Each structure stands twice: as structure tokens, then as C-alpha cells.
Amino acid sequence: MTLTGPQCEEACRLLREAERRVAPIDPLSELLPGLEVADAYAVQQGNIARRLSAGATVVGHKVGLTAAAMQQLLGVDEPDFGHLLDDMVHRDGGTVPAARYCLPRIEPEICFRLARPLRGPDVTVEDVLEATEAVAPALEIVDSRIRDWKITLADTVADNASAAGLVCGPWTPLGDAPDLATVTAELLVDGEAVATGSGKEVLGHPAAAVAWLANTLAAFGTALEPGHVVLPGTMTTAPFVSAGQRIEARFSALGPVSVTFV
């Protein structure tokens, strides 16, 4: 840790206010020089603890930076993670007020729902698949409380890995699903295809991202619990979205999922 306790508290406050007021701030890495990833996770944990104290509950986690291009962009060689809370979940086919976000983007992902706990540090892809009850087509809403998405790894980690929302489609028992690395997704905005990708874009296999998460959480004394959901990372690029747009992702074998920003 390089930041003092008061500096960490100030970082927490700045991000909370940015989210509450929907008013992005300058990068924390500039406001608090020396901000390291360990500091950033402490900031993330601090703000999650406050939200839990206010009545929110953890429903799962998201993994970010699983695509090679994004890792190269931020100069990192591994993913990051954030928390998913119950107040982030939206109904498939429903609407979401665009005004609650600073500058949102959308990502199609294969969501996992666990039937058994996963506790690192030695979780494998096979362990993940054995613990998974079902998978679903999903859209992750990502948003940055950092102005214009000018982020370093520490900035996005502190900002809950840019997590902002989750929309899940119908669940398919894992035993009825194909090899998740072969699942493809087509992302459409207002009916127009804007991106395509497959499960292999996510660390080679989406379950590899879930295994990484379980092993990483072990260092924080945390495990993935039965009933938890995990977003392993986007299968395509992540376009910006705005009010009036309908977003749909069509997944081979898993079906569609959609949301409209109003």
C-alpha cells in the first residue's frame, strides 16, 4: 500500500460522489499519485462495504480485461474483478434510464450461475464447470466514473472494475449447453449488427476467467458462493450506448438478451 488511510477514504468519497451525482472525475491515478493496484482494491472494497451497510447484497462478481487487446491497452497481463450487487440487476427486455450512468458501454457475456462454492487458490477450469449449474446470455453495462474513460488499471479497479449493470437472459443447464468456447455472440444496436465474437475471446474459455476469479479472491479471504453469478468478460468490443437505443445480443445455442436505454 502506498496511500494513507485518509487518502483511501478520499478516493472512496470521490468515486461515491461521482456515481451519485453522475458527474465523472479526473483519474484517481492523477489526483492521488502513487495509486497502486493494491490501493485500488482497498478503495473498491471500501465502497462495496458502504453499499452493503446501506442494504445492498452481493449477487456475484464480474471479471474485466480478459481480452488481449484491452490488456495491451492498459499494459497489464491479467484481468481484474469487481462486485455485482442486487441493485445492478435489470430485467431482460426491460428498460434502463440512461441518465443514471456517466458514459455507459455494453458488453455481451456468458453469465455463469454456481451450484457449489468455488474457493481458491487452486481452482481449475474443470472445477468451474463442475460447480456451474447453468449459463445465460447476458449484457453487462459498464460505466466509468472517471472522465472520458481515461483510465489506468488502478483507476478501473478502484471504480469497481467499471461495473454498472447486468441483464440476464434465459438460463440453460450447463449439461445442455455446448462447449462455451465455441458459443458465438452477435451484438446489435437498434437492430444493426455492430460486433461479433466467441467464447474463446475470453482467456481462451469463459470458465478460465471464472477460475482466475476464484483463485484471485482467495487472497482477499473470499469465495464464490452457491447462487452467485459471474460475468467472465466480454466476447466483443464494447460500444458506447445512449438513451433511445435498444441493445440486443444473440448467442448461438443460448438465445438472445436485450435492454433498452431510455
Side-chain angles (χ1 to χ4, degrees):
M1 298 285 286
T2 60
L3 298 186
T4 65
Q7 285 176 318
C8 281
E9 286 294 324
E10 176 65 2
C12 287
R13 185 192 68 79
L14 288 169
L15 286 173
R16 287 199 308 275
E17 284 298 298
E19 184 173 21
R20 184 182 67 83
R21 298 171 54 200
V22 196
I25 59 173
D26 290 335
L28 287 179
S29 55
E30 295 179 4
L31 296 172
L32 297 168
L35 181 71
E36 296 182 352
V37 173
D39 300 309
Y41 275 118
V43 173
Q44 179 187 137
Q45 296 282 348
N47 274 337
I48 293 297
R50 285 174 173 81
R51 291 180 69 169
L52 297 182
S53 295
T57 59
V58 174
V59 297
H61 291 79
K62 61 82 51 91
V63 184
L65 302 179
T66 53
M70 287 304 297
Q71 291 187 6
Q72 292 168 6
L73 181 65
L74 293 186
V76 299
D77 59 5
E78 70 172 17
D80 66 351
F81 73 85
H83 294 71
L84 298 173
L85 305 179
D86 59 340
D87 57 6
M88 296 181 182
V89 179
H90 305 285
R91 181 177 59 84
D92 180 20
T95 60
V96 177
R100 69 184 291 177
Y101 305 111
C102 297
L103 193 59
R105 308 173 89 141
I106 202 83
E107 299 180 343
E109 308 191 23
I110 298 173
C111 189
F112 288 67
R113 187 173 69 201
L114 301 179
R116 298 201 300 275
L118 285 170
R119 182 178 295 276
D122 300 311
V123 173
T124 66
V125 167
E126 290 72 24
D127 294 331
V128 171
L129 295 175
E130 289 176 2
T132 298
E133 175 185 19
V135 291
L139 292 168
E140 183 184 4
I141 303 167
V142 290
D143 191 26
S144 183
R145 276 60 68 165
I146 305 300
R147 187 173 289 110
D148 299 325
W149 282 86
K150 293 181 178 178
I151 56 175
T152 65
L153 176 60
D155 289 305
T156 186
V157 166
D159 193 21
N160 196 28
S162 304
L166 164 64
V167 183
C168 265
W171 292 97
T172 297
L174 185 64
D176 296 336
D179 178 357
L180 299 180
T182 69
V183 172
T184 59
E186 181 179 42
L187 184 64
L188 300 95
V189 177
D190 293 332
E192 180 180 351
V194 297
T196 60
S198 69
K200 69 180 180 181
E201 306 298 331
V202 186
L203 297 184
H205 194 291
V210 182
W212 175 89
L213 173 64
N215 293 329
T216 301
L217 286 175
F220 295 85
T222 303
L224 298 175
E225 302 293 345
H228 273 189
V229 298
V230 179
L231 291 172
T234 186
M235 299 163 66
T236 72
T237 55
F240 291 105
V241 292
S242 58
Q245 292 183 320
R246 181 179 185 273
I247 314 301
E248 180 183 15
R250 299 172 182 170
F251 291 72
S252 62
L254 300 182
V257 59
S258 68
V259 70
T260 300
F261 287 79
V262 296

